[in-house]
Amino acid sequence: MADEDVLEAEAAAAEREEVESFIEDHALEEVLNELINELVENRPEDPLFELGSLITARSANAHAIQGVRGYEVLDAAGDAVLEVEVTTAKGVFTASVASGPFTVDEATGARGVSGVVDFIRADLSTKLVGMKVTEQAALDEVLMDATAPANATLALSMALCKAGAAHAGLAVYEHIARIGVEKGKRGGSIDVSLPLPIGTLVSGARLAAGYAADSHCARAIGVLPLNAGSLPEAIGMIRTAQETLDKVLAAEEIQAGVGGLGGRVFTKDNLGEVLKLVEAAVDAVMNPPAPEPEVGAEEGEEGEEKEEKAAEDENKSIDAEPKVPPKLGLVLDVAAPAFAVVKRQGGPDPDADPDADPDAAAAALVEAPPLEPGDVTYSIDAFRRHPEAEPMQRDEYVDVLAQWAVENKLVNTIIDAFHEVHMPGYVQLKARIAELEAEKAEEEGDAADGDEEASAAPAPEPAGVGGDVSCKTQYAGDTNIADEKDLVAANDAQTLNTLVLTIEKGHTVSGCFALARKAKALGWGIICAPDSSTSQVNDAFIAQLAVGVNAGQISPGALRRGEAVAIYNELLRIATGENAPPFVGEKFRSFQGSG
């Protein structure tokens, strides 16, 4: 019996020593004492919940990625797209995209979205699991080094950013803004702000496919609420412009449908005619009839105070009437590469027999030389069933585009006006617009010669677009700008002054941050926009990106499509949150934001 007692005592002592060693090795007593002291000092309402959070935060694996997976979901068109999940101690974070090569590198043997899912499971998951989720730049480097399919890279970068923000205790846009301070790699964070939305009014070109038999050549026409005092007021102006355009089309007995991005699609002879209808609608919004005086309106100081308070509250509502008549601008997304006619050169050697030896046929392909300016023309009737206009050389096309811009004076933003081989065309277009404007001013001056007061008045100095006195018109590059090298080249050539920033273009969240920083350094404006990766899915990450990089402008689409509305709603959530970023307002190109 005594022997058994001795054995039990020895076992108990050994267990006690093991427990004490475990506690000492992990500094449990020291850490718990520190955390309890912190609880006592702060006195939270739920100390046990707070203690659990504090303990989790002390874990070496607290911010580690625990799991990564991808799977198929459906987009708004019913097509299979990629969604990914990133699992951490904070939960599960998802992101959806629809872009990227659906044929992965042949070495993976993968095909379609299901093949990308396999690639994530077999390759990316093993690389990412265990990494610290708060280090966005390092995670994006892993994704880029893995030469993963574009849709996998995009989706995972977005999901990792959402997870990293949760672990950092930040809003997603705040986490994006701080990418630059990670390990001092990119020179610090940037300011944040709520961007001015651009609402799509009209869709055309390929966005009208399936909705209209004939379409004008431009991709879209949007409206920019230039003097909105708040985000809700800006959205209200966009909605009013959409509704007014519908009334104008109905008055003209024009049948209209809804195309890609939610814009109206209808048939007119050319883009110039479409712009006239849009300008008529926008003019009606900017010059509404005078309101009838209210019966029994309160007078005196008390009445004025109530009116001021009501105006202040209404400025925060989408349904509120604008405090001042809206001032709107038009955004012309030309998307010229879509209707550019490229003279194809090169091809298979006619002497080769591809049926006899495929390898020999492939080797016999004649390498196409680089495109020359004369190899590209423009077919403005490309999206009509019965084209009438012949493809135009650049000079003729510049003249037509300049005429449209001058005749429709509200156009203050032109996107992708040329094929990439014709980038000098922007300089030519600016010069032609200036010539036409000078001719128009001279004609108007001749008509006013009899008015002495008008003749004596000095011409007003142009205020510039978005508070940027150096910018009379925004010339923006979407497909014309692919990377930082293109940014610098366009800036040096003075062709463009605005970047259309898409998640797809940046490849990763960190890549978008770098592009935005470079554009800002050059004094450019930025328009954030969904692209083929997100325009058909309800992932509103682009809203967080626009705020986080202080873009100043965002182009979600019209208020008729669920994907676009999801982006507007995400912006509204940010705008109504605690410590919401400031709204850019009229100075959307020069606004500094808040750090």
Side-chain angles (χ1 to χ4, degrees):
M1 194 71 177
D3 291 341
E4 291 180 359
D5 290 340
V6 171
L7 291 174
E8 287 181 3
E10 289 177 351
E15 183 177 357
R16 184 168 57 253
E17 184 179 347
E18 184 178 346
V19 170
E20 290 175 350
S21 177
F22 178 82
I23 292 173
E24 184 178 351
D25 289 345
H26 295 282
L28 294 181
E29 185 174 0
E30 179 184 344
V31 170
L32 286 173
N33 282 333
E34 289 180 10
L35 298 182
I36 290 171
N37 288 334
E38 187 174 339
L39 285 176
V40 171
E41 182 180 350
N42 296 327
R43 290 178 172 77
E45 292 184 5
D46 190 341
L48 292 179
F49 177 82
E50 185 66 21
L51 179 60
S53 300
L54 292 172
I55 290 173
T56 300
R58 286 294 186 99
S59 169
N61 295 317
H63 303 304
I65 299 169
Q66 298 174 355
V68 172
R69 79 181 185 103
Y71 45 88
E72 287 183 326
V73 294
L74 298 177
D75 68 3
D79 295 324
V81 297
L82 176 68
E83 184 163 284
V84 299
E85 281 183 1
V86 172
T87 303
T88 71
K90 291 282 188 179
V92 177
F93 304 87
T94 64
S96 305
V97 297
S99 76
F102 291 101
T103 300
V104 190
D105 187 274
E106 290 186 4
T108 68
R111 292 292 183 271
V113 176
S114 61
V116 178
V117 170
D118 292 339
F119 187 90
I120 292 172
R121 181 178 59 251
D123 188 278
L124 295 179
S125 178
T126 57
K127 288 181 169 67
L128 294 171
V129 169
M131 290 189 68
K132 194 173 181 180
V133 76
T134 53
E135 296 180 351
Q136 185 72 35
L139 294 167
D140 285 342
E141 284 180 11
V142 170
L143 290 173
M144 293 301 292
D145 290 344
T147 61
N151 46 355
T153 300
L154 283 167
L156 283 169
S157 183
M158 291 160 58
L160 289 165
C161 185
K162 296 174 185 179
H167 278 259
L170 299 169
V172 175
Y173 68 84
E174 292 176 312
H175 184 52
I176 293 171
R178 285 160 173 73
I179 288 175
V181 299
E182 290 182 12
K183 299 181 181 178
K185 285 185 177 180
R186 299 181 190 272
S189 62
I190 57 179
D191 297 334
V192 297
S193 63
L194 286 164
L196 188 68
I198 299 169
T200 302
L201 295 181
V202 176
S203 298
R206 292 196 176 102
L207 292 180
Y211 303 97
D214 291 305
S215 172
H216 56 86
C217 58
R219 180 175 181 266
I221 301 171
V223 62
L224 194 58
L226 298 172
N227 66 336
S230 69
L231 178 65
E233 187 176 13
I235 296 174
M237 289 182 182
I238 290 170
R239 186 174 65 181
T240 301
Q242 287 183 180
E243 293 169 349
T244 307
L245 177 61
D246 288 347
K247 293 176 183 177
V248 169
L249 295 176
E252 295 286 333
E253 298 184 349
I254 296 174
Q255 297 291 327
V258 178
L261 296 180
R264 286 300 186 196
V265 293
F266 51 89
T267 300
K268 291 298 289 182
D269 288 341
N270 55 55
L271 179 58
E273 295 298 314
V274 174
L275 281 167
K276 288 178 182 177
L277 288 169
V278 173
E279 186 168 17
V282 171
D283 273 334
V285 176
M286 293 195 296
N287 300 286
E292 295 291 333
E294 294 184 15
V295 178
E298 296 186 66
E299 297 180 359
E301 292 183 5
E302 184 179 347
E304 290 178 2
E305 288 178 4
K306 287 185 177 181
E307 288 178 6
E308 289 176 4
K309 179 66 168 63
E312 182 179 342
D313 292 340
E314 285 182 354
N315 193 41
K316 301 175 182 177
S317 172
I318 296 170
D319 292 324
E321 290 292 328
K323 292 186 295 182
V324 295
K327 180 182 178 183
L328 306 175
L330 292 180
V331 177
L332 180 58
D333 187 353
V334 182
F339 57 86
V341 180
V342 179
K343 179 182 177 182
R344 300 294 179 185
Q345 298 187 37
D349 185 340
D351 296 329
D353 184 357
D355 295 328
D357 187 349
D359 291 335
L365 286 174
V366 178
E367 184 178 354
L371 285 175
E372 298 291 337
D375 295 332
V376 177
T377 55
Y378 298 91
S379 176
I380 61 173
D381 280 357
F383 301 100
R384 297 177 65 84
R385 286 176 300 176
H386 305 294
E388 296 178 2
E390 293 292 326
M392 302 176 180
Q393 294 293 334
R394 188 180 78 183
D395 290 354
E396 183 183 0
Y397 168 67
V398 164
D399 197 57
V400 170
L401 192 57
Q403 290 281 358
W404 287 339
V406 173
E407 289 172 4
N408 298 274
K409 59 185 180 299
L410 296 178
V411 174
N412 65 8
T413 303
I414 299 175
I415 302 173
D416 277 2
F418 297 95
H419 185 279
E420 61 182 17
V421 78
H422 285 160
M423 290 297 285
Y426 284 101
V427 177
Q428 187 179 354
L429 176 62
K430 294 174 191 178
R432 184 59 181 142
I433 289 176
E435 289 175 3
L436 293 175
E437 287 178 337
E439 292 173 6
K440 186 175 181 181
E442 185 176 351
E443 292 173 1
E444 292 173 350
D446 291 341
D449 278 345
D451 187 342
E452 295 182 5
E453 185 176 342
S455 300
E461 290 293 325
V465 177
D468 182 354
V469 295
S470 68
C471 178
K472 184 179 178 182
T473 300
Q474 293 191 117
Y475 291 94
D478 186 358
T479 58
N480 286 163
I481 298 291
D483 51 32
E484 289 189 43
K485 181 180 178 182
D486 289 345
L487 270 175
V488 173
N491 188 72
D492 290 345
Q494 297 186 347
T495 53
L496 302 173
N497 57 23
T498 305
L499 168 68
V500 177
L501 178 61
T502 64
I503 302 172
E504 190 175 50
K505 187 175 295 182
H507 303 295
T508 64
V509 177
S510 299
C512 290
F513 181 96
L515 273 174
R517 177 178 288 284
K518 187 64 177 180
K520 289 284 185 181
L522 295 173
W524 283 34
I526 301 175
I527 302 172
C528 274
D531 49 31
S532 61
S533 68
T534 53
S535 58
Q536 295 272 18
V537 296
N538 282 328
D539 194 310
F541 184 84
I542 190 69
Q544 298 283 352
L545 180 69
V547 176
V549 301
N550 190 25
Q553 301 168 83
I554 185 171
S555 182
L559 294 167
R560 297 189 182 94
R561 291 289 292 264
E563 317 90 87
V565 170
I567 298 171
Y568 285 109
N569 284 341
E570 189 78 349
L571 290 170
L572 288 168
R573 292 186 192 102
I574 297 171
T576 55
E578 188 177 357
N579 299 319
F583 178 62
V584 293
E586 293 183 90
K587 296 184 177 181
F588 53 85
R589 280 183 66 93
S590 58
F591 193 80
Q592 295 301 312
S594 65

